Amino acid sequence: MQLKTALLSFILLICPCALCYGQLSFLGVNGERGYSAVRGTYVWDLDNNFIFTPSYEFYRQSDAPDVEETGATYRYGLRGSYDFSDDWRVYMQGYFLPEAVGNRGVSYFAGGRYHPFFRHGIFKDPFIDVRIGQGRTRTRIDSIGVWLDEPYKQVETNVRVEGGTEVGPWNLKAAWHKVIQYNNQVQPGISFSWADIPYMTAVVQGFLRSATALRVSYPTYLLTPYASAARYEYAETGRPAVAVSAGLTLKQGAFSFSGGVEVFEPRREETRKTFFSMSVEVDF
């Protein structure tokens, strides 16, 4: 039911743009205990150097009736970008997470991307993307499901840098996320319901201090195998964690289909989580 609601809401969101040039994509994962997540985006190119990208996302921790965190958490986003030239792009981006499972929040970013048409030996089409922003969250429940007497509020200032290039037949990408400052001391036992790990579809919970990730793919005419690895650290514990993923993308004309697996903390049996991912993308 949650998946049907997500798909219907996102379709209604993009209907006014249906006759425009763009790209529509859906990514989803499923895991243990009924975990599910969906991310949908529509890249709306106005063909006048402006590009708008609305997004709709949700995840559900579990569908078990005796689990406290059964409710779905939703996030709405909008990104607007402007191409100054073939090489330079600037953008602003915002997300809104309405009240769900005791959490709510808003975040906003500004950034720029440099992507020259360049080739030197085996290196081709390098790019670098830098953004800085803030996230403002309010939590009314602790990590074991007990409601707090007073809401816990947090403001984080963070920066993210992503870069990549083609190296011969390989496509390489790397991302680095760092929280510059938390306005309040991060308290053990209190976390936030939405945290993104670069190149992973599944959503994790907690206040992240940093994350570093690498993605490698081998594009061919029809099939593109890929693999990703990420190392991240929670602010409340300081303990590092690892996530890995691998899969295969099939391209047929304007359509692309992907299937893969994501494993969080693969070497820790007590906290290991495995998710199966799939995606579809179509160009208009």
Side-chain angles (χ1 to χ4, degrees):
M1 187 64 181
Q2 298 287 358
L3 177 59
K4 292 180 180 178
T5 302
L7 295 176
L8 178 60
S9 299
F10 193 72
I11 289 171
L12 291 175
L13 178 67
I14 66 162
C15 274
C17 313
L19 300 179
C20 306
Y21 168 77
Q23 182 186 76
L24 177 64
S25 63
F26 286 99
L27 300 89
V29 294
N30 287 278
E32 301 105 332
R33 303 170 66 199
Y35 180 100
S36 63
V38 171
R39 299 173 185 258
T41 60
Y42 180 79
V43 181
W44 178 24
D45 191 338
L46 300 183
D47 203 24
N48 60 356
N49 295 344
F50 284 99
I51 301 173
F52 292 95
T53 308
S55 62
Y56 177 91
E57 306 164 273
F58 89 87
Y59 83 94
R60 180 184 58 196
Q61 279 279 72
S62 173
D63 59 3
D66 58 341
V67 177
E68 181 70 24
E69 300 170 327
T70 55
T73 301
Y74 299 87
R75 188 172 72 167
Y76 304 86
L78 179 63
R79 169 173 166 149
S81 62
Y82 179 77
D83 291 339
F84 277 103
S85 67
D86 291 337
D87 299 342
W88 289 97
R89 172 179 295 179
V90 295
Y91 60 86
M92 297 184 68
Q93 188 171 11
Y95 291 105
F96 171 61
L97 193 149
E99 183 86 27
V101 199
N103 295 267
R104 68 178 301 172
V106 62
S107 55
Y108 37 85
F109 310 93
R113 183 182 182 95
Y114 179 57
H115 191 173
F117 293 97
F118 172 82
R119 182 165 189 166
H120 181 74
I122 62 173
F123 296 94
K124 184 176 69 172
D125 290 341
F127 77 90
I128 185 168
D129 188 299
V130 180
R131 78 175 196 191
I132 187 169
Q134 276 195 341
R136 297 176 177 269
T137 61
R138 188 185 71 178
T139 304
R140 303 183 64 184
I141 193 170
D142 66 15
S143 56
I144 61 173
V146 178
W147 287 82
L148 305 174
D149 294 333
E150 295 290 337
Y152 173 74
K153 298 180 181 180
Q154 184 61 272
V155 179
E156 70 171 66
T157 303
N158 59 67
V159 62
R160 173 169 168 160
V161 180
E162 183 181 18
T165 186
E166 295 181 24
V167 183
W170 299 89
N171 192 313
L172 306 179
K173 293 182 180 179
W176 175 72
H177 171 88
K178 177 69 175 178
V179 174
I180 302 171
Q181 178 185 352
Y182 282 108
N183 281 24
N184 300 312
Q185 180 69 31
V186 177
Q187 299 180 16
I190 299 180
S191 63
F192 189 63
S193 62
W194 199 294
D196 289 311
I197 304 299
Y199 309 134
M200 302 293 162
T201 304
V203 181
V204 299
Q205 298 75 46
F207 292 102
L208 294 182
R209 176 70 67 183
S210 63
T212 305
L214 176 67
R215 188 180 192 277
V216 181
S217 61
Y218 189 90
T220 66
Y221 176 74
L222 187 63
L223 298 174
T224 299
Y226 67 86
S228 303
R231 182 183 185 275
Y232 55 99
E233 181 180 310
Y234 289 107
E236 57 265 34
T237 64
R239 188 182 75 167
V242 173
V244 295
S245 71
L248 193 66
T249 299
L250 168 67
K251 186 171 179 62
Q252 286 284 350
F255 289 87
S256 295
F257 306 90
S258 296
V261 61
E262 299 181 2
V263 183
F264 287 72
E265 302 193 51
R267 294 188 176 183
R268 294 176 180 161
E269 186 174 352
E270 69 279 5
T271 54
R272 182 185 307 141
K273 294 182 179 180
T274 302
F275 306 95
F276 297 95
S277 65
M278 63 177 182
S279 69
V280 59
E281 184 177 283
V282 58
D283 294 319
F284 293 94

